[in-house]
Amino acid sequence: MQIAILGYGTVGGGVGRLVAQQQHQVQQLQVTHIFVRPTHPRTQPEMSDDFEAIINDSHLDVVVETLGGVEPAHQYILAALRHGKHVVTANKAVVARYLQEFTQVAAAHHVHFYYEASTGGGIPWLRNLEQAARVDSLDRLAGILNGTSNYILDQMASQGVEFEVALRSAQQLGYAEADPTADVAGIDVQNKLRISTAVAFNVDPQFALPTWGISGVRQSDIRDLQRLGLTLKLMGTSVRHGDHVAAVVAPTVVVNDSLFAHTPGNFNLIALHGESVGDLQFYGQGAGAAPTANAIVQDVLDIAHGVPHLHRDFAQPAISDDDLLTGDYLVRGAVGACPGVTDSMVGSYYWAADVHPAVMARWVASHPDSLALRLSPAASAQVRPTVAQLAQGRRAFA
């Protein structure tokens, strides 16, 4: 089976090396084209910047897209599918936005569009999610879906450092980009949760998804939560009741005896709940060249062996019902909060849906700039600046 790799950075290079090792079943795969930008050094004979020539190769079977970003990846994937080429991608941003379109175009041209590596890296998460959804009615997904943010929070908890110090450490280790916004603002988790929710519930991934990141987390908050037997993790959660769906990405307070609390460093832990199967959890490296390349090659081998994936059309719009995720929030105001406050100045929101009210009361009693409120995610987003001012006002009158 002949493969073209679009982009030859960390992930694309990992795919090339894995195929070149010629081990086990990978021996039947051959990389015949590597698409690179015009300025990229031509270090291998397969490299070219002529995309049209690549997809017009009648011997080419599969296009592996590892460019990242939305464009031109979106247009290249569509072009490959329309030329009768199977497509495998690890690009969570483009899958989250165009999953329905890619699926429809692939079906119309009798080819496959596979994206296991887009969510969970080397963890076979989507594969097992599909398997569970074949025979079960799934109603809840929750997980630590971003290794960078988990590493940062883990460093803050275990080393007692502030957010900025933990972020620099993540960047030095290659876990975080120079611009870490996608990781620390929850955008990466948002994309992965959209994809996972779409697969689990067979809905269009473009649904309402309130999202908060971790840049406002203080080390003192981490420490004080630890004293209460709690841990903070950035998590994505989605639930379904009948035709109604709700989802949220937020720093989430979990109890210390949970598996989520004991997920260290840059590891991921993702869970599902089904009516008959109950709770299932999946743990492992969620990113990195080798794990992601492994997931990509697994998808390519599925195509080579004619292994079908669960058919989903993603045509049903999700009926958003935010009340399904109504829960308790711990809100800490920001110093200097005032009318017109921007989102980055409103302190921190910690979702604490599974925390006992008595424990939350202890937190509020010891934090004069905090409040505990019961809200839905959407309502929380709407009133967030006002609530932060109230929390800060409580401090002023404490």
Side-chain angles (χ1 to χ4, degrees), residues 31-380:
V31 176
T32 56
H33 299 282
I34 300 173
F35 174 76
V36 294
R37 303 189 188 280
T39 56
H40 192 286
R42 302 302 195 267
T43 57
Q44 299 187 42
E46 297 85 5
M47 289 182 171
S48 167
D49 61 2
D50 191 342
F51 176 72
E52 291 298 323
I54 292 173
I55 61 171
N56 281 298
D57 181 351
S58 60
H59 300 290
L60 180 66
D61 300 296
V62 181
V63 170
V64 172
E65 185 276 311
T66 65
L67 293 167
V70 176
E71 296 295 351
H74 170 226
Q75 294 303 322
Y76 286 170
I77 290 172
L78 287 178
L81 293 171
R82 288 167 178 158
H83 278 75
K85 314 301 181 186
H86 305 289
V87 174
V88 174
T89 183
N91 186 341
K92 65 191 76 69
V94 76
V95 174
R97 185 173 298 186
Y98 294 110
L99 178 56
Q100 182 185 24
E101 181 182 23
F102 292 150
T103 302
Q104 292 173 346
V105 173
H109 291 83
H110 309 289
V111 291
H112 297 298
F113 175 70
Y114 288 171
Y115 45 92
E116 172 68 47
S118 68
T119 303
I123 304 171
W125 163 241
L126 294 181
R127 184 182 302 267
N128 282 282
L129 187 58
E130 289 180 348
Q131 185 173 7
R134 287 189 306 180
V135 295
D136 207 350
S137 176
L138 306 183
D139 55 26
R140 183 180 179 89
L141 310 175
I144 298 167
L145 290 158
N146 180 268
T148 301
S149 60
N150 198 60
Y151 173 85
I152 291 171
L153 293 175
D154 186 54
Q155 285 290 295
M156 293 176 71
S158 62
Q159 303 301 315
V161 298
E162 289 291 352
F163 171 83
E164 293 78 8
V165 176
L167 172 59
R168 284 198 296 272
S169 175
Q171 291 171 323
Q172 291 167 358
L173 291 170
Y175 297 156
E177 302 290 341
D179 179 1
T181 303
D183 292 319
V184 302
I187 298 170
D188 181 78
V189 177
Q190 183 186 89
N191 286 329
K192 294 172 180 175
L193 187 61
R194 288 190 185 281
I195 296 167
S196 300
T197 302
V199 172
F201 306 150
N202 193 23
V203 295
D204 185 338
Q206 296 306 305
F207 49 80
L209 183 44
T211 299
W212 294 275
I214 62 170
S215 58
V217 177
R218 296 189 305 203
Q219 204 283 322
S220 59
D221 293 343
I222 299 280
R223 183 184 63 246
D224 292 343
L225 287 170
Q226 288 177 320
R227 290 172 178 166
L228 295 173
L230 304 170
T231 299
L232 193 66
K233 297 291 186 179
L234 181 63
M235 295 180 63
T237 303
S238 65
V239 297
R240 177 177 65 175
H241 182 73
D243 294 331
H244 293 236
V245 174
V248 64
V249 174
T252 302
V253 180
V254 297
V255 294
N256 278 352
D257 60 359
S258 68
L259 289 177
F260 289 117
H262 292 278
T263 302
N266 67 331
F267 282 80
N268 286 189
L269 177 65
I270 322 173
L272 64 84
H273 180 269
E275 186 175 305
S276 62
V277 77
D279 294 312
L280 292 177
Q281 297 179 321
F282 302 86
Y283 173 85
Q285 288 281 356
T292 305
N294 183 285
I296 288 173
V297 173
Q298 293 285 357
D299 271 352
V300 174
L301 287 173
D302 280 355
I303 293 170
H305 296 156
V307 177
H309 288 199
L310 180 67
H311 174 70
R312 297 294 215 197
D313 58 18
F314 310 109
Q316 179 67 39
I319 303 174
S320 294
D321 186 353
D322 208 53
D323 289 340
L324 294 176
L325 279 176
T326 294
D328 294 317
Y329 285 81
L330 295 174
V331 185
R332 177 176 51 73
V335 175
C338 61
V341 69
T342 62
D343 185 68
S344 62
M345 296 169 59
V346 297
S348 292
Y349 265 36
Y350 303 145
W351 194 39
D354 297 324
V355 178
H356 193 279
V359 177
M360 294 184 63
R362 289 171 59 192
W363 165 277
V364 173
S366 62
H367 291 77
D369 62 348
S370 296
L371 295 171
L373 299 172
R374 188 163 184 80
L375 297 166
S376 69
S380 177

